[in-house]
Amino acid sequence: MNMKTYKGLALALLGLAACSDRGSIPENQPVQMKARLESFASCAALESYIEDAAVLDMRSTLERSKPSYWKGRGGWFGGPVEYADGAGAPTPTTAGGGSSGPKDHTGTNNQVEGVDEADFVKNDGTRIFVLSGQKLYVHRSWPAESLRVESSLTLEGWPRQMFLHGNKVVVFSSVNAPYSGSSVGGGFVADCAYMGPCGHGASTTKVTTVDVSDLAAPQVTSEVYLPGGYHDARLAEGSARLVMRDSFRWPTGVRFWPEYSQDLWNDQARLEKELDRLMAHNEQLIRAAALTQWVPEGRRKLPDGTVETLGYDCHDFHKTNAPTRLGLVTVATLDLDAQTFQPPGRVTLVTEPGEVYATADALYLATPHWWWWPEAGQTDHTYVHKLDLSQPHRASYVASATVKGILLDQFSMDEHEGVLRVATTISSRVAEAGNPWGRTETANRVFTYGQEGGQLKLLGQSEELARGERIFSARFVGKRGYVVTFRQVDPLFTFDLSDPAHPRKVGELKVPGFSSYIHPVGDSHLLTVGLHVPENGDWRTRAVKLSLFDVSDMANPRETFTQLVGTAYGWSESLYDHKAFNYFPAKGLLAIPFTDWTPVYNGDYWSNFVSELRVFRVDTAAGITPVGALSMKDAYQVINSNQWSWVYTPYVRRSVMADDYVYAISDAGVRVAHVSNLSSPLATSRFSPYTAQ
């Protein structure tokens, strides 16, 4: 192996001095306790860094494919997985109110007040917009009994999520846009089925701005294409922050397995040599690739159909001094209040994407420390990078932290009065006889950080919590924090965070099962959704569970009310997506999507199928009371395609509540009913994501 090849990457990316006896696989690197980012001095430096990183990643991947690698670790060496391209790869009803609009309504369930999160459903009380299939469906939703689709608009690619900002709908879609250098076309592709988007047809995010001032005739006003797959987005004060992720776009001809033949497979010594030859060939292709092939420019499609290039500044790319997995994360800023088109301001991190948390002033990106292989003595860490959002046209990197443990989701982070609070599960690998990778042990903590220059400095940490368990949900509310862990029972921990230097656990409550989402109700209660799991683990008695906790006495939290929902077959999207959890404080109502199946055979599967919106009244004194269900069960469709047909099931996924009306939203329609008579819908809109475009 030519170590000179890797010198730049060894010093800049991973701090390697040499490779190990594992061939091209580098040694595991220690956790970087003072993580930071630095921008590239030139485009040549950026290109060299990317190529070094790509070569190292490619060689280490192929090294793991060698029979000697697996046999040396007591593993079985079998045949490649065959893909279509032949490449082997790892593996009662009253009037619906006045026409001016409802007095109150729900919107997206956002983590931070004033910071909107993109979703595939948006509404403003009188209009509901739904992305389904390749279309944007525009609804007039008020008065409620007049619910109807006013129009639809076919969008390029696969629409993912959107924002509603005044009379603008901004849609983020995944499209396959062929790039080769700075021109469209060509063949910058790779035989890399498992490596993610690459080359020709690589993932690109299209930003489509639609003027919806006339609901009957929505008009596209802007089309922008940016390299990278859609990851997440936030909107505050007119500035949308679009987070995209991208894996390396491997050059044409790069392969991660030799051409298959039985003779080669049977001759493992020859196979090893063929893999070495393939590494050398791949490296030549990688070194010959131009920067615009690795990092394509963006494009803007003008109203007359012409296309203009949206370039980038190499100084806006940042590398990390910490070992992280390879990838690109870009934060693009779109000023939705600009009177004329402004090119998106972009900042890119050469690192693996992870969890995203944002306030109106800062955006945090978390990415885990990268171990090349597991071994005893390792403790997982996460690198958190802070971007300043004070400028409406761009984000700017300001500081980083090294956090012990791994974050569960965006709710594992929160900023209050300039202090970042983070809840993590800490996994450590302990030596164990007969296990070369070690035994994994877990614990949990809450950490606090404050910015000092270019560092997020550790201010304090809680005691270790719930050894052997993992965090299943977390929520920070002002100077309080709440963490749920789980193994057989659900401990709810309460924290006093009033002194950032001394975050401390003040209470603990154990109940069967776990909560996967925590929602504050006033200052003294928590409303949660999760699963009831009996301590004996019998799945036949598991069920979706709603709980109301009284945390007015933080030292003695109490589960005051519970409500089990459905059977053991039941499920709700709100269990893993907080945007499906819709609490309406003005009316004391909670709505969650719910699916179930009653296992009583009567010859008709669909008569036992449940797809509905469950509605509950929530009162901190009276508890959680079922109001009823707004069903969408009858909206399923039989899809016919040539010689076969199948049933499309339109699961309820979102909801809107406006005054005393409840709207259930699925991929196939919207239905509304008065809360006092959910079984008698007032109106239904129908559409199909599988309608031919």
Side-chain angles (χ1 to χ4, degrees):
M1 171 183 171
N2 183 357
M3 285 307 303
K4 184 177 179 181
T5 299
Y6 298 131
K7 183 177 179 182
L9 183 63
L11 297 176
L13 180 64
L14 298 171
L16 300 178
C19 285
S20 68
D21 59 1
R22 294 167 177 84
S24 295
I25 303 176
E27 293 283 357
N28 276 320
Q29 296 303 299
V31 174
Q32 174 55 258
M33 299 311 296
K34 290 188 177 181
R36 68 177 186 275
L37 299 175
E38 59 181 70
S39 62
F40 288 91
S42 66
C43 289
L46 172 60
E47 181 179 349
S48 177
Y49 184 90
I50 289 176
E51 290 176 0
D52 289 346
V55 168
L56 181 60
D57 187 71
M58 176 273 296
R59 284 187 172 272
S60 63
T61 299
L62 284 171
E63 196 72 39
R64 289 190 183 94
S65 298
K66 289 184 175 181
S68 57
Y69 174 84
W70 290 105
K71 288 182 177 180
R73 286 152 187 82
W76 172 82
F77 180 75
V81 178
E82 287 298 319
Y83 289 80
D85 62 359
T91 59
T93 304
T94 60
S99 59
S100 61
K103 295 179 180 178
D104 206 348
H105 66 90
T106 60
T108 302
N109 182 20
N110 300 312
Q111 180 180 5
V112 178
E113 185 177 358
V115 180
D116 193 21
E117 300 179 24
D119 198 10
F120 64 88
V121 173
K122 288 292 175 180
N123 89 98
D124 63 359
T126 64
R127 305 174 295 179
I128 296 177
F129 302 89
V130 182
L131 293 174
S132 181
Q134 289 185 283
K135 288 190 174 184
L136 169 66
Y137 291 92
V138 179
H139 292 76
R140 187 179 303 279
S141 59
W142 197 262
E145 70 272 14
S146 299
L147 169 72
R148 62 184 181 275
V149 176
E150 289 284 3
S151 62
S152 65
L153 181 68
T154 300
L155 300 165
E156 181 183 4
W158 193 258
R160 298 286 304 279
Q161 295 184 331
M162 62 182 160
F163 288 124
L164 172 61
H165 184 65
N167 283 321
K168 292 180 181 178
V169 171
V170 181
V171 182
F172 305 113
S173 304
S174 295
V175 300
N176 290 327
Y179 281 94
S180 179
S182 59
S183 63
V184 177
F188 192 57
V189 294
D191 191 0
C192 51
Y194 82 97
M195 300 300 290
C198 52
H200 181 88
S203 182
T204 294
T205 298
K206 181 182 181 182
V207 184
T208 306
T209 304
V210 183
D211 182 345
V212 293
S213 54
D214 181 355
L215 295 184
Q219 299 292 321
V220 174
T221 59
S222 175
E223 298 176 274
V224 172
Y225 301 81
L226 298 173
Y230 177 79
H231 185 60
D232 212 340
R234 299 291 189 273
L235 171 63
E237 299 175 353
S239 292
R241 315 290 178 166
L242 166 62
V243 183
M244 296 172 292
R245 59 189 299 165
D246 208 356
S247 52
F248 282 178
R249 300 167 183 244
W250 301 92
T252 301
V254 168
R255 294 184 59 86
F256 288 86
W257 193 261
E259 291 288 348
Y260 175 76
S261 74
Q262 189 64 45
D263 290 342
L264 178 63
W265 189 249
N266 292 335
D267 188 345
Q268 295 186 5
R270 180 183 159 208
L271 177 58
E272 298 251 347
K273 292 180 180 179
E274 183 62 21
L275 287 169
D276 287 334
R277 186 203 65 79
L278 190 56
M279 290 184 201
H281 177 68
N282 285 344
E283 181 166 353
Q284 290 180 342
L285 297 174
I286 289 171
R287 298 292 179 188
L291 179 60
T292 50
Q293 293 176 306
W294 296 108
V295 187
E297 297 172 315
R299 295 176 292 132
R300 179 192 177 203
K301 186 177 180 181
L302 301 178
D304 62 2
T306 60
V307 176
E308 67 177 19
T309 298
L310 301 177
Y312 52 80
D313 187 337
C314 293
H315 294 91
D316 291 331
F317 287 75
H318 296 72
K319 59 185 176 182
T320 175
N321 67 336
T324 63
R325 198 171 187 180
L326 302 179
L328 299 168
V329 183
T330 297
V331 179
T333 299
L334 306 152
D335 186 352
L336 304 188
D337 290 330
Q339 297 302 307
T340 58
F341 176 77
Q342 298 284 340
R346 286 185 278 173
V347 57
T348 299
L349 284 59
V350 187
T351 186
E352 181 183 22
E355 300 302 331
V356 176
Y357 165 75
T359 68
D361 303 315
L363 185 146
Y364 294 87
L365 293 168
T367 183
H369 176 88
W370 173 239
W371 303 108
W372 287 96
W373 71 93
E375 61 181 350
Q378 295 172 346
T379 297
D380 289 340
H381 284 69
T382 297
Y383 303 110
V384 177
H385 306 294
K386 179 181 180 180
L387 304 181
D388 175 71
L389 303 182
S390 59
Q391 299 180 62
H393 302 295
R394 62 178 293 107
S396 302
Y397 167 71
V398 290
S400 298
T402 301
V403 182
K404 194 174 185 179
I406 299 295
L407 285 69
L408 173 67
D409 55 25
Q410 68 187 65
F411 292 94
S412 296
M413 290 185 282
D414 180 84
E415 185 187 88
H416 180 69
E417 297 179 347
V419 176
L420 175 67
R421 295 87 67 86
V422 184
T424 70
T425 294
I426 304 165
S427 296
S428 301
R429 293 164 189 85
V430 180
E432 182 179 57
N435 184 354
W437 293 340
R439 181 183 74 255
T440 300
E441 296 183 350
T442 63
N444 308 276
R445 284 187 188 268
V446 171
F447 301 90
T448 56
Y449 295 86
Q451 184 179 341
E452 288 189 7
Q455 289 289 311
L456 295 173
K457 181 181 178 181
L458 178 65
L459 301 179
Q461 58 184 328
S462 72
E463 63 185 271
E464 280 194 349
L465 309 166
R467 295 192 65 85
E469 301 185 4
R470 293 182 177 274
I471 291 176
F472 270 58
S473 59
R475 195 70 188 250
F476 298 93
V477 184
K479 296 181 179 181
R480 296 181 172 190
Y482 307 96
V483 170
V484 169
T485 62
F486 179 71
R487 185 168 60 183
Q488 293 296 333
V489 295
D490 165 6
L492 169 67
F493 297 96
T494 62
F495 294 85
D496 179 357
L497 305 175
S498 58
D499 180 1
H502 301 93
R504 62 185 184 92
K505 186 195 79 172
V506 294
E508 177 180 348
L509 175 67
K510 293 186 177 181
V511 296
F514 62 88
S515 300
S516 59
Y517 173 68
I518 303 171
H519 193 90
V521 178
D523 297 327
S524 60
H525 288 79
L526 303 174
L527 179 61
T528 71
V529 63
L531 284 180
H532 167 74
V533 181
E535 292 191 50
N536 64 9
D538 185 359
W539 70 270
R540 293 170 298 179
T541 57
R542 64 169 288 281
V544 174
K545 178 185 177 182
L546 302 172
S547 294
L548 195 61
F549 293 90
D550 184 342
V551 291
S552 54
D553 180 358
M554 291 283 283
N556 297 286
R558 297 181 299 125
E559 186 181 36
T560 52
F561 301 98
T562 64
Q563 178 69 52
L564 299 184
V565 186
T567 73
Y569 298 93
W571 193 254
S572 175
E573 190 164 335
S574 63
L575 288 168
Y576 59 89
D577 188 344
H578 65 279
K579 296 170 189 174
F581 186 99
N582 188 7
Y583 177 63
F584 193 12
K587 297 294 182 177
L589 295 173
L590 169 67
I592 61 170
F594 184 70
T595 60
D596 206 347
W597 187 75
T598 55
V600 178
Y601 181 74
N602 59 6
D604 180 10
Y605 172 88
W606 295 105
S607 67
N608 300 325
F609 173 72
V610 173
S611 176
E612 58 195 18
L613 185 73
R614 290 286 182 99
V615 181
F616 305 86
R617 195 168 300 282
V618 178
D619 185 281
T620 57
I624 305 170
T625 308
V627 174
L630 180 52
S631 176
M632 293 285 282
K633 171 182 174 179
D634 61 301
Y636 73 84
Q637 298 172 324
V638 176
I639 310 299
N640 295 301
S641 176
N642 297 329
Q643 297 180 345
W644 55 274
S645 65
W646 55 285
V647 175
Y648 166 65
T649 306
Y651 296 108
V652 176
R653 303 188 61 199
R654 292 291 189 271
S655 64
V656 170
M657 290 185 277
D659 289 350
D660 294 319
Y661 297 89
V662 179
Y663 300 77
I665 303 169
S666 77
D667 291 330
V670 181
R671 175 167 287 170
V672 61
H674 193 276
V675 70
S676 66
N677 193 2
L678 293 173
S679 61
S680 299
L682 297 174
T684 302
S685 74
R686 295 178 183 267
F687 44 82
S688 172
Y690 295 100
T691 300
Q693 305 296 331

PDB file of all heavy atoms in Angstrom, residues 330-345:
ATOM      1  N   THR A 330     -25.041  19.728   3.443  1.00  0.00           N
ATOM      2  CA  THR A 330     -25.139  21.116   3.001  1.00  0.00           C
ATOM      3  C   THR A 330     -26.348  21.780   3.634  1.00  0.00           C
ATOM      4  O   THR A 330     -27.441  21.211   3.656  1.00  0.00           O
ATOM      5  CB  THR A 330     -25.259  21.199   1.470  1.00  0.00           C
ATOM      6  OG1 THR A 330     -24.081  20.662   0.871  1.00  0.00           O
ATOM      7  CG2 THR A 330     -25.449  22.638   1.003  1.00  0.00           C
ATOM      8  N   VAL A 331     -26.154  22.975   4.164  1.00  0.00           N
ATOM      9  CA  VAL A 331     -27.252  23.805   4.647  1.00  0.00           C
ATOM     10  C   VAL A 331     -27.406  24.961   3.667  1.00  0.00           C
ATOM     11  O   VAL A 331     -26.522  25.810   3.547  1.00  0.00           O
ATOM     12  CB  VAL A 331     -26.989  24.339   6.067  1.00  0.00           C
ATOM     13  CG1 VAL A 331     -28.153  25.213   6.523  1.00  0.00           C
ATOM     14  CG2 VAL A 331     -26.786  23.180   7.049  1.00  0.00           C
ATOM     15  N   ALA A 332     -28.516  24.945   2.934  1.00  0.00           N
ATOM     16  CA  ALA A 332     -28.796  25.993   1.952  1.00  0.00           C
ATOM     17  C   ALA A 332     -29.875  26.910   2.505  1.00  0.00           C
ATOM     18  O   ALA A 332     -30.892  26.443   3.017  1.00  0.00           O
ATOM     19  CB  ALA A 332     -29.251  25.382   0.629  1.00  0.00           C
ATOM     20  N   THR A 333     -29.647  28.221   2.413  1.00  0.00           N
ATOM     21  CA  THR A 333     -30.586  29.208   2.937  1.00  0.00           C
ATOM     22  C   THR A 333     -31.351  29.860   1.802  1.00  0.00           C
ATOM     23  O   THR A 333     -30.768  30.326   0.817  1.00  0.00           O
ATOM     24  CB  THR A 333     -29.844  30.289   3.742  1.00  0.00           C
ATOM     25  OG1 THR A 333     -29.175  29.669   4.845  1.00  0.00           O
ATOM     26  CG2 THR A 333     -30.815  31.325   4.275  1.00  0.00           C
ATOM     27  N   LEU A 334     -32.686  29.881   1.948  1.00  0.00           N
ATOM     28  CA  LEU A 334     -33.566  30.480   0.955  1.00  0.00           C
ATOM     29  C   LEU A 334     -34.339  31.615   1.609  1.00  0.00           C
ATOM     30  O   LEU A 334     -35.071  31.398   2.579  1.00  0.00           O
ATOM     31  CB  LEU A 334     -34.543  29.438   0.412  1.00  0.00           C
ATOM     32  CG  LEU A 334     -33.914  28.149  -0.140  1.00  0.00           C
ATOM     33  CD1 LEU A 334     -34.870  26.988  -0.011  1.00  0.00           C
ATOM     34  CD2 LEU A 334     -33.510  28.336  -1.589  1.00  0.00           C
ATOM     35  N   ASP A 335     -34.180  32.813   1.118  1.00  0.00           N
ATOM     36  CA  ASP A 335     -34.889  33.974   1.643  1.00  0.00           C
ATOM     37  C   ASP A 335     -36.242  34.054   0.949  1.00  0.00           C
ATOM     38  O   ASP A 335     -36.346  34.496  -0.194  1.00  0.00           O
ATOM     39  CB  ASP A 335     -34.082  35.248   1.408  1.00  0.00           C
ATOM     40  CG  ASP A 335     -34.706  36.464   2.071  1.00  0.00           C
ATOM     41  OD1 ASP A 335     -35.842  36.351   2.588  1.00  0.00           O
ATOM     42  OD2 ASP A 335     -34.061  37.534   2.079  1.00  0.00           O
ATOM     43  N   LEU A 336     -37.298  33.626   1.668  1.00  0.00           N
ATOM     44  CA  LEU A 336     -38.625  33.564   1.050  1.00  0.00           C
ATOM     45  C   LEU A 336     -39.299  34.923   0.966  1.00  0.00           C
ATOM     46  O   LEU A 336     -40.334  35.052   0.302  1.00  0.00           O
ATOM     47  CB  LEU A 336     -39.515  32.597   1.838  1.00  0.00           C
ATOM     48  CG  LEU A 336     -38.979  31.170   1.998  1.00  0.00           C
ATOM     49  CD1 LEU A 336     -40.041  30.280   2.628  1.00  0.00           C
ATOM     50  CD2 LEU A 336     -38.511  30.593   0.676  1.00  0.00           C
ATOM     51  N   ASP A 337     -38.736  35.926   1.606  1.00  0.00           N
ATOM     52  CA  ASP A 337     -39.300  37.274   1.556  1.00  0.00           C
ATOM     53  C   ASP A 337     -38.604  38.164   0.534  1.00  0.00           C
ATOM     54  O   ASP A 337     -38.989  39.324   0.355  1.00  0.00           O
ATOM     55  CB  ASP A 337     -39.218  37.935   2.937  1.00  0.00           C
ATOM     56  CG  ASP A 337     -40.167  37.301   3.934  1.00  0.00           C
ATOM     57  OD1 ASP A 337     -41.224  36.800   3.508  1.00  0.00           O
ATOM     58  OD2 ASP A 337     -39.850  37.301   5.140  1.00  0.00           O
ATOM     59  N   ALA A 338     -37.574  37.657  -0.117  1.00  0.00           N
ATOM     60  CA  ALA A 338     -36.845  38.450  -1.107  1.00  0.00           C
ATOM     61  C   ALA A 338     -37.762  38.807  -2.275  1.00  0.00           C
ATOM     62  O   ALA A 338     -38.530  37.969  -2.754  1.00  0.00           O
ATOM     63  CB  ALA A 338     -35.629  37.678  -1.610  1.00  0.00           C
ATOM     64  N   GLN A 339     -37.678  40.019  -2.737  1.00  0.00           N
ATOM     65  CA  GLN A 339     -38.516  40.487  -3.835  1.00  0.00           C
ATOM     66  C   GLN A 339     -38.031  39.967  -5.184  1.00  0.00           C
ATOM     67  O   GLN A 339     -38.811  39.812  -6.117  1.00  0.00           O
ATOM     68  CB  GLN A 339     -38.552  42.024  -3.847  1.00  0.00           C
ATOM     69  CG  GLN A 339     -39.168  42.630  -2.589  1.00  0.00           C
ATOM     70  CD  GLN A 339     -40.590  42.164  -2.346  1.00  0.00           C
ATOM     71  OE1 GLN A 339     -41.447  42.257  -3.221  1.00  0.00           O
ATOM     72  NE2 GLN A 339     -40.844  41.644  -1.143  1.00  0.00           N
ATOM     73  N   THR A 340     -36.740  39.713  -5.292  1.00  0.00           N
ATOM     74  CA  THR A 340     -36.170  39.133  -6.507  1.00  0.00           C
ATOM     75  C   THR A 340     -35.392  37.884  -6.122  1.00  0.00           C
ATOM     76  O   THR A 340     -35.071  37.672  -4.951  1.00  0.00           O
ATOM     77  CB  THR A 340     -35.231  40.127  -7.213  1.00  0.00           C
ATOM     78  OG1 THR A 340     -34.173  40.511  -6.306  1.00  0.00           O
ATOM     79  CG2 THR A 340     -36.000  41.380  -7.645  1.00  0.00           C
ATOM     80  N   PHE A 341     -35.091  37.057  -7.108  1.00  0.00           N
ATOM     81  CA  PHE A 341     -34.402  35.800  -6.832  1.00  0.00           C
ATOM     82  C   PHE A 341     -33.032  36.021  -6.217  1.00  0.00           C
ATOM     83  O   PHE A 341     -32.236  36.821  -6.711  1.00  0.00           O
ATOM     84  CB  PHE A 341     -34.251  34.975  -8.111  1.00  0.00           C
ATOM     85  CG  PHE A 341     -33.455  33.708  -7.913  1.00  0.00           C
ATOM     86  CD1 PHE A 341     -34.038  32.603  -7.298  1.00  0.00           C
ATOM     87  CD2 PHE A 341     -32.128  33.638  -8.323  1.00  0.00           C
ATOM     88  CE1 PHE A 341     -33.305  31.435  -7.099  1.00  0.00           C
ATOM     89  CE2 PHE A 341     -31.391  32.475  -8.139  1.00  0.00           C
ATOM     90  CZ  PHE A 341     -31.989  31.369  -7.516  1.00  0.00           C
ATOM     91  N   GLN A 342     -32.769  35.318  -5.133  1.00  0.00           N
ATOM     92  CA  GLN A 342     -31.466  35.324  -4.493  1.00  0.00           C
ATOM     93  C   GLN A 342     -30.919  33.902  -4.535  1.00  0.00           C
ATOM     94  O   GLN A 342     -31.577  32.973  -4.062  1.00  0.00           O
ATOM     95  CB  GLN A 342     -31.584  35.777  -3.038  1.00  0.00           C
ATOM     96  CG  GLN A 342     -32.117  37.187  -2.829  1.00  0.00           C
ATOM     97  CD  GLN A 342     -31.071  38.237  -3.149  1.00  0.00           C
ATOM     98  OE1 GLN A 342     -29.875  37.947  -3.166  1.00  0.00           O
ATOM     99  NE2 GLN A 342     -31.524  39.460  -3.410  1.00  0.00           N
ATOM    100  N   PRO A 343     -29.730  33.681  -5.089  1.00  0.00           N
ATOM    101  CA  PRO A 343     -29.164  32.321  -5.078  1.00  0.00           C
ATOM    102  C   PRO A 343     -29.053  31.809  -3.643  1.00  0.00           C
ATOM    103  O   PRO A 343     -28.700  32.572  -2.736  1.00  0.00           O
ATOM    104  CB  PRO A 343     -27.772  32.513  -5.702  1.00  0.00           C
ATOM    105  CG  PRO A 343     -27.887  33.762  -6.510  1.00  0.00           C
ATOM    106  CD  PRO A 343     -28.838  34.651  -5.758  1.00  0.00           C
ATOM    107  N   PRO A 344     -29.381  30.562  -3.412  1.00  0.00           N
ATOM    108  CA  PRO A 344     -29.292  30.031  -2.045  1.00  0.00           C
ATOM    109  C   PRO A 344     -27.872  30.149  -1.500  1.00  0.00           C
ATOM    110  O   PRO A 344     -26.899  29.800  -2.181  1.00  0.00           O
ATOM    111  CB  PRO A 344     -29.694  28.558  -2.209  1.00  0.00           C
ATOM    112  CG  PRO A 344     -30.466  28.513  -3.491  1.00  0.00           C
ATOM    113  CD  PRO A 344     -29.854  29.560  -4.367  1.00  0.00           C
ATOM    114  N   GLY A 345     -27.754  30.657  -0.283  1.00  0.00           N
ATOM    115  CA  GLY A 345     -26.456  30.671   0.384  1.00  0.00           C
ATOM    116  C   GLY A 345     -26.173  29.277   0.919  1.00  0.00           C
ATOM    117  O   GLY A 345     -27.001  28.713   1.624  1.00  0.00           O
TER     118      GLY A 345
END
